[in-house]
Amino acid sequence: MGRHHRRDLGGLLTETTVRRALMRQLQIDLPDALPLRHEDLFTKGIPDLSLSYAGHTSWWECKYTATNQCATTKVQRYLCEQLDLRGFLCRYIIFRRGHNGKWPREIRVVKPHDVHGTAWRHVGRTISTGAFDYAALVRYIQEEHERHSHQNHPH
């Protein structure tokens, strides 16, 4: 799991390549937003992406998995849970690669407390199956970001 190359239905994918494709789609579909990448060796536990848009910031942790398991570190899950508990939208985006007819590619978004083990497979929101639909994911991110912003900070 993680950043290792894997053959998928359609080529080599890694956590880095799906994150890069998501960033590109955010920049295209939300030109007024400021998406930032935070993953590096010096910021362990901080979610991979933040999106500042319409006066609010949301946080997004990307995971790429070849199985039904989703690995995350304790510090990363703790920080994501704390952001979410304190009123900041923080979610895991799980990209599961296709597996020779056993299951198709899938994008699913889950809350931080649901990400451990295989629990994520039965909760959250399926964004796409069969293909990684980044445009659908960006629409979902925008809707959740706006809904959460209005819910926590009504005008």
Side-chain angles (χ1 to χ4, degrees), residues 60-131:
W60 304 89
E61 174 61 33
C62 298
K63 293 294 179 187
Y64 178 75
T65 182
T67 68
N68 286 327
Q69 297 288 327
C70 185
T72 187
T73 65
K74 288 180 183 179
V75 68
Q76 188 173 64
R77 194 165 119 210
Y78 174 78
L79 185 55
C80 287
E81 287 173 344
Q82 293 304 307
L83 283 165
D84 205 48
L85 286 171
R86 285 169 170 71
F88 296 94
L89 176 63
C90 186
R91 296 291 181 268
Y92 278 78
I93 303 170
I94 302 171
F95 297 85
R96 185 176 65 162
R97 78 175 180 103
H99 188 273
N100 298 335
K102 280 189 172 179
W103 58 72
R105 282 182 175 178
E106 174 184 27
I107 299 175
R108 182 175 287 267
V109 177
V110 299
K111 293 181 178 182
H113 64 272
D114 290 328
V115 78
H116 62 284
T118 61
W120 67 272
R121 291 286 304 124
H122 308 289
V123 295
R125 170 100 178 256
T126 300
I127 305 302
S128 68
T129 57

Side-chain angles (χ1 to χ4, degrees), residues 138-150:
V138 169
R139 283 191 302 274
Y140 173 80
I141 288 172
Q142 180 181 15
E143 290 167 6
E144 279 298 290
H145 182 89
E146 290 173 353
R147 184 187 63 75
H148 193 269
S149 296
H150 293 300

Side-chain angles (χ1 to χ4, degrees), residues 5-18:
H5 291 277
R6 292 192 176 77
R7 173 103 8 226
D8 194 357
L9 306 171
L12 291 177
L13 289 177
T14 65
E15 194 170 295
T16 300
T17 59
V18 296

Side-chain angles (χ1 to χ4, degrees), residues 6-60:
R6 292 192 176 77
R7 173 103 8 226
D8 194 357
L9 306 171
L12 291 177
L13 289 177
T14 65
E15 194 170 295
T16 300
T17 59
V18 296
R19 192 171 39 242
R20 188 176 299 133
L22 173 56
M23 285 294 291
R24 192 169 31 250
Q25 196 71 46
L26 284 165
Q27 292 164 343
I28 292 167
D29 292 352
L30 298 175
D32 294 332
L34 179 61
L36 297 173
R37 289 174 57 176
H38 301 284
E39 82 286 349
D40 64 37
L41 296 175
F42 304 106
T43 55
K44 297 220 182 276
I46 294 177
D48 292 331
L49 309 172
S50 66
L51 179 68
S52 295
Y53 176 66
H56 301 282
T57 299
S58 57
W59 297 87
W60 304 89

